[in-house]
Amino acid sequence: MPSLGRRYRAAALSRFTTGEGKELSLLTPLTFHLTSKFGVGIRNTGGKKVSKIIASAGIRGAHKIVERADKKLKESIDKWGPNQDVAFPNSGYYLPIIYGMLGHKVEKLKDMESVISVCKNLLPAPVREKFHLPYLGPALDAGMATFFSEEMLEAIKYIENPNVYVKGEDVTDSNFWLGAADDIIMRKRGVEFVDGTAPGFAAILGAPEDPKIAAKIALELQEKNLYVFMAATTDGRSMPEQLISEGVQVGWGTRLVPFGPESSAAIFAIGFATRAAMSFGGIEPGDYRKILIYNKDRIFAFAITFGYVSDDWYANGLGCVNYGFPIIADTPIPEILPTGICTYEHVVSNIPHESIVSKAIEVRGLKVTVTKVPVPVSYGPAFEGERVRGDDIYLEAGGGRTHAVELVVSSDMNKITDGKIEVVGPDLKDVQPGSRLPLAIFVEVAGRQMQEDFEPILERQIHHLINYAQGIMHIGQRDIAWLRVAKQAVDKGFKLSNIGDILHAKFHQDFGSILDKVQVTIFTEEKKVNEILGKARAIYKKRDDRIAGMTDEDTDPFYSCTLCQSFAPSHVCIVTPERTGLCGAYNWLDCKASNEINPTGPNQPVPKKEVIDARYGQWKGVDEFVSKASRGNVLTADAYSIMRNPMTSCGCFEAISALLPTCNGIMTVDRDTADMTPCGMKFTTLAGTVGGGNVTPGFLGHSKYYITSKKFIAAEGGIKRLVWMPKSLKEEIRDRFSKRASEIGCPDLLDRIADETVAVTEEEVLTYITEKQHPVLTMEPIM
């Protein structure tokens, strides 16, 4: 059988040749643009000229990096043996760049040997001093060989030291390099690329000379809602270290992500982009052309370099160009200005620090909407994950320490004044640092198009809108809110009335079609807070009772949600009163309200029409809508089945259910569970199987709330089919689950369901449910 390298090259060259039959560089065809129904390549960027200096340095760097990887692999096999396991932590995508580009699973050291062969085949000869052919194609091949080699080098680091990087999302002042993002982080953060709150990312190599400049550039990128992925050092300086020295919080929560101290850590950014294409775009591993085009068109990223650009950096830059990510440098390196692969220029240099961010955004062709909110601190989604802890706390409200409640109600136009913001009780200037206060945020809105049904939609926005303010931490909603204000925010002049400024500005901007007036009152007097709390709880109960009494049989139309189609083009979510959106963020009333606010948005009415199969939840109108909205990729969808034609998933699901055939039942696992499950796959691997808009009988992505619905896999018998759940999920839904179990005559069902404390394999699950006499054992075969 031919080697991986020969098979890869043969496949590529058999598919892409010029009209004269001349072979193109291996990765040159990836830069063709699809402009017709049949995908005819009409522009060959392999003919684009490239700077001799860039080509020479990049190819020279690629040769050194491939040689380094080859040597390290041989040393590692000698030390640990060819069957040594190798992987990035908690990922079902193996080494994602290699897996995405080659379709090759690197699970053991021996699996890297064929990849080294591919790298050597990709490497062009070093650039000659005379008779240089200035074409971009060979340089791009060198860039891809660089990424493959560096990904192997980084993976071997995890064998040498499993704790080489910090695990999780947060960093410390002494250990701030995070390394590879696991699949839980990728999916959690990837959703932000789906809904537009993160338009793209900046991959940064090195650091400017002045830490204050580093902090200014980071803040400018944050204010434009971009993620910042940092790697490498310049003359011993690292940008994350500079930011920490300036008091800037670093980590996934603030979108300032330090990957690693060497330039090879840049592959973690590229791996993130590659996984996004496979996970949310539904692109098969090995379909390298689609993955690269997907990234060029959908992942708006660019690279910024600070200081001297080494051969290694040039090689990484050429790899970025393959993805359509341009390079912006602050030093006078040569440029590649013709368009072809990137949207505009490929390499732009000698850009001053004060304009480097705006230039990068311009060159990438990224459209960024920056909202100016009248508050004295920086404002934007990049600050949503910021944490305020310990000595940094100036004021705390809620979180079990005091009462904190939020309420939005509609009012008569004549009874409120637009823009009126009032604080009743002590403000920040009236208390000492470290103080606690009760808090009620009471928002009254009015508008000719405003409806009572819209109140909870607006109320849910309070959480993230307040969180967008730098130095303000907000958790929870309704009567379990929790607010912290940092000392740094108070030093900049932040007041509690600024919460009202934020809500007034953003409600008008985001919901101007239904609102004419917004009035905000902030209460910090305990008596007044308790009055609002009592009023709010009565309104919350009324809202909850409305959806609780609705059924699918009595409701028409249902609603769609296609918000995630930018990443999963064939995914269509159908939301019914008894089947919430799989992300858990939308129920039927939310979708109805969203449609009335934005009639052309992602939540469209779906008339049911004739019932095709009541047991499986199949209607003619739903099938017609799904077929049209998925562009013919999905022809039918069962709302209540996991086994026949389950609904598609985008990748944003809170939980996944999977068939356990030996047990005649199913297991359910949520995204917070990182361990192996009885079906033989971790959540991350399951997510890769179910996501991307695929129809996967035997697997179903869904919300946690849906588990206790009467319609949860009703076609197969409902919750009686559940035989395994993580213990944490069982406790989280225990009250609702027990109520539902009592309704079906099995009040102790949850205790008969296995969890990881008693069973980690399907055989152990069967033993446990047999011992507990689980009702699934007497049900008809699920298959």
Side-chain angles (χ1 to χ4, degrees):
M1 183 175 181
S3 70
L4 173 63
R6 291 201 301 274
R7 284 187 283 123
Y8 183 51
R9 179 170 285 277
L13 296 179
S14 67
R15 293 168 61 190
F16 300 102
T17 59
T18 65
E20 298 80 22
K22 180 181 177 182
E23 292 184 348
L24 300 179
S25 176
L26 176 57
L27 293 183
T28 299
L30 306 183
T31 63
F32 271 37
H33 291 254
L34 301 180
T35 56
S36 75
K37 179 179 178 181
F38 302 101
V40 177
I42 64 166
R43 183 165 57 181
N44 176 8
T45 59
K48 293 292 180 185
K49 293 187 176 182
V50 60
S51 158
K52 179 179 178 181
I53 295 176
I54 290 180
S56 177
I59 292 171
R60 187 167 59 242
H63 274 271
K64 290 188 287 187
I65 292 168
V66 172
E67 181 180 349
R68 201 179 304 150
D70 189 18
K71 180 181 179 182
K72 175 61 73 172
L73 176 59
K74 290 175 180 175
E75 292 173 352
S76 300
I77 289 176
D78 289 342
K79 184 173 182 178
W80 292 293
N83 292 314
Q84 169 66 42
D85 291 337
V86 59
F88 289 144
N90 194 26
S91 177
Y93 292 91
Y94 309 97
L95 305 192
I97 302 176
I98 293 169
Y99 187 46
M101 295 294 113
L102 305 178
H104 181 59
K105 299 177 182 179
V106 174
E107 298 176 272
K108 300 183 183 297
L109 283 175
K110 64 182 180 182
D111 299 329
M112 292 182 174
E113 293 177 314
S114 54
V115 182
I116 289 291
S117 297
V118 169
C119 294
K120 292 178 177 178
N121 287 335
L122 282 171
L123 284 177
V127 174
R128 299 177 181 179
E129 184 63 30
K130 295 182 179 180
F131 309 115
H132 165 58
L133 296 178
Y135 295 127
L136 187 53
L140 295 180
D141 288 355
M144 197 55 75
T146 296
F147 281 165
F148 293 162
S149 297
E150 288 182 332
E151 196 166 45
M152 290 185 285
L153 285 168
E154 288 292 335
I156 290 173
K157 287 182 182 179
Y158 279 98
I159 300 176
E160 295 174 329
N161 178 10
N163 298 313
V164 62
Y165 295 117
V166 179
K167 295 180 181 178
E169 297 194 33
D170 298 322
V171 305
T172 64
D173 291 353
S174 60
N175 191 2
F176 46 79
W177 297 114
L178 290 171
D182 67 24
D183 286 355
I184 293 175
I185 293 173
M186 191 277 293
R187 290 184 179 281
K188 176 181 177 182
R189 302 294 169 178
V191 172
E192 295 169 357
F193 289 88
V194 174
D195 63 20
T197 53
F201 68 78
I204 290 181
L205 285 178
E209 291 186 5
D210 188 344
K212 294 188 183 302
I213 291 176
K216 184 176 182 297
I217 290 172
L219 179 61
E220 191 174 353
L221 290 165
Q222 284 179 302
E223 289 177 334
K224 290 173 172 55
N225 305 330
L226 296 163
Y227 273 87
V228 183
F229 296 151
M230 297 170 281
T233 60
T234 302
D235 297 330
R237 304 186 305 271
S238 77
M239 189 161 170
E241 197 167 15
Q242 289 179 321
L243 297 179
I244 291 170
S245 72
E246 290 296 308
V248 178
Q249 284 192 24
V250 172
W252 282 100
T254 56
R255 301 191 181 185
L256 301 174
V257 185
F259 277 139
E262 299 176 350
S263 59
S264 57
I267 60 99
F268 296 133
I270 303 302
F272 187 93
T274 305
R275 281 187 287 174
M278 291 186 285
S279 175
F280 296 105
I283 300 174
E284 291 294 321
D287 198 342
Y288 55 86
R289 187 168 184 264
K290 283 187 178 179
I291 288 176
L292 295 186
I293 291 175
Y294 182 95
N295 273 276
K296 176 185 179 295
D297 293 341
R298 295 176 184 265
I299 306 293
F300 292 95
F302 51 84
I304 295 177
T305 64
F306 291 113
Y308 172 71
V309 178
S310 66
D311 290 352
D312 284 12
W313 286 23
Y314 274 116
N316 277 276
L318 292 173
C320 287
V321 171
N322 271 299
Y323 280 75
F325 303 162
I327 316 301
I328 317 299
D330 69 342
T331 50
I333 65 173
E335 297 182 315
I336 307 177
L337 298 180
T339 60
I341 300 172
C342 299
T343 305
Y344 299 113
E345 296 87 352
H346 300 77
V347 180
V348 180
S349 68
N350 208 26
I351 305 300
H353 291 150
E354 60 267 22
S355 58
I356 199 166
V357 172
S358 59
K359 186 64 176 179
I361 289 173
E362 171 199 334
V363 171
R364 184 60 181 93
L366 177 60
K367 304 299 181 185
V368 177
T369 300
V370 180
T371 304
K372 290 295 182 183
V373 176
V375 292
V377 296
S378 295
Y379 186 87
F383 304 105
E384 186 176 13
E386 188 179 18
R387 292 292 177 260
V388 178
R389 299 187 177 98
D391 292 338
D392 291 333
I393 301 172
Y394 190 96
L395 176 73
E396 183 171 34
R401 281 76 169 173
T402 67
H403 285 311
V405 59
E406 299 160 353
L407 181 65
V408 174
V409 298
S410 48
S411 179
D412 186 273
M413 290 277 284
N414 299 321
K415 291 184 177 180
I416 65 173
T417 302
D418 184 48
K420 181 180 179 182
I421 298 166
E422 187 178 4
V423 177
V424 179
D427 204 334
L428 293 172
K429 64 180 176 57
D430 303 315
V431 299
Q432 296 299 312
S435 296
R436 292 173 178 170
L437 286 174
L439 179 70
I441 301 174
F442 183 53
V443 185
E444 297 169 274
V445 297
R448 290 179 177 83
Q449 305 300 318
M450 182 63 195
Q451 300 178 26
E452 188 177 335
D453 287 348
F454 299 162
E455 292 173 359
I457 305 297
L458 300 176
E459 197 172 277
R460 271 194 200 126
Q461 311 307 310
I462 292 176
H463 164 70
H464 70 269
L465 294 181
I466 292 177
N467 247 338
Y468 286 177
Q470 188 180 32
I472 313 300
M473 185 186 88
H474 184 282
I475 296 174
Q477 59 182 355
R478 286 191 167 186
D479 58 351
I480 56 170
W482 185 9
L483 181 81
R484 283 179 174 177
V485 180
K487 293 176 182 176
Q488 296 91 327
V490 177
D491 290 342
K492 292 180 180 179
F494 190 86
K495 300 175 292 185
L496 290 179
S497 60
N498 290 138
I499 293 175
D501 294 327
I502 292 168
L503 298 179
H504 175 261
K506 292 299 292 178
F507 274 16
H508 271 295
Q509 181 187 51
D510 297 345
F511 302 100
S513 62
I514 61 170
L515 294 177
D516 295 310
K517 293 184 177 182
V518 179
Q519 177 175 305
V520 183
T521 308
I522 310 293
F523 295 97
T524 58
E525 286 183 357
E526 187 168 4
K527 181 180 178 181
K528 292 290 187 180
V529 170
N530 289 337
E531 288 177 6
I532 297 294
L533 182 62
K535 180 177 181 178
R537 285 174 173 168
I539 292 175
Y540 299 156
K541 184 178 186 303
K542 180 181 175 182
R543 291 174 184 169
D544 292 341
D545 289 345
R546 277 187 306 171
I547 191 69
M550 297 179 66
T551 66
D552 289 358
E553 288 79 5
D554 297 333
T555 304
D556 195 2
F558 296 155
Y559 283 90
S560 70
C561 185
T562 55
L563 181 67
C564 299
Q565 279 199 345
S566 60
F567 272 71
S570 61
H571 170 59
V572 183
C573 194
I574 300 296
V575 180
T576 80
E578 296 182 88
R579 190 183 195 280
T580 54
L582 55 85
C583 63
Y586 284 85
N587 64 29
W588 183 89
L589 285 175
D590 296 332
C591 291
K592 179 178 183 291
S594 173
N595 175 257
E596 293 182 30
I597 294 170
N598 182 10
T600 60
N603 304 120
Q604 293 296 307
V606 182
K608 296 192 304 188
K609 298 185 179 179
E610 294 88 349
V611 177
I612 297 175
D613 194 317
R615 174 185 174 185
Y616 284 87
Q618 184 185 10
W619 299 268
K620 180 181 178 182
V622 173
D623 282 356
E624 289 173 349
F625 185 93
V626 168
S627 178
K628 182 178 180 180
S630 70
R631 301 165 185 82
N633 289 303
V634 181
L635 301 179
T636 185
D638 294 338
Y640 311 146
S641 176
I642 189 176
M643 294 302 299
R644 197 171 74 168
N645 294 300
M647 286 191 188
T648 58
S649 299
C650 59
C652 304
F653 32 68
E654 289 186 305
I656 300 173
S657 289
L659 175 67
L660 294 181
T662 304
C663 300
N664 197 36
I666 67 166
M667 53 151 275
T668 294
V669 59
D670 63 318
R671 68 168 59 251
D672 295 325
T673 301
D675 299 329
M676 185 63 70
T677 69
C679 73
M681 290 183 276
K682 297 181 180 180
F683 180 90
T684 52
T685 307
L686 280 167
T689 301
V690 178
N694 298 316
V695 178
T696 52
F699 301 89
L700 181 70
H702 55 82
S703 69
K704 295 177 184 179
Y705 189 87
Y706 182 52
I707 297 171
T708 55
S709 166
K710 293 179 180 178
K711 295 300 193 291
F712 177 68
I713 62 165
E716 285 81 33
I719 60 172
K720 284 187 178 181
R721 290 288 184 185
L722 276 169
V723 296
W724 188 91
M725 269 194 290
K727 185 175 180 62
S728 59
L729 180 58
K730 289 170 69 173
E731 294 308 314
E732 181 179 342
I733 66 172
R734 177 175 289 277
D735 291 344
R736 287 186 288 110
F737 191 96
S738 297
K739 180 180 178 181
R740 176 70 188 128
S742 295
E743 291 173 354
I744 62 173
C746 193
D748 63 342
L749 178 60
L750 194 61
D751 295 326
R752 301 191 199 187
I753 296 173
D755 56 47
E756 72 276 15
T757 65
V758 294
V760 294
T761 67
E762 188 169 355
E763 292 74 18
E764 290 172 344
V765 174
L766 181 59
T767 299
Y768 182 84
I769 64 173
T770 301
E771 176 187 327
K772 297 294 182 179
Q773 297 182 334
H774 193 295
V776 77
L777 300 173
T778 60
M779 297 176 71
E780 64 180 0
I782 195 169
M783 296 180 67

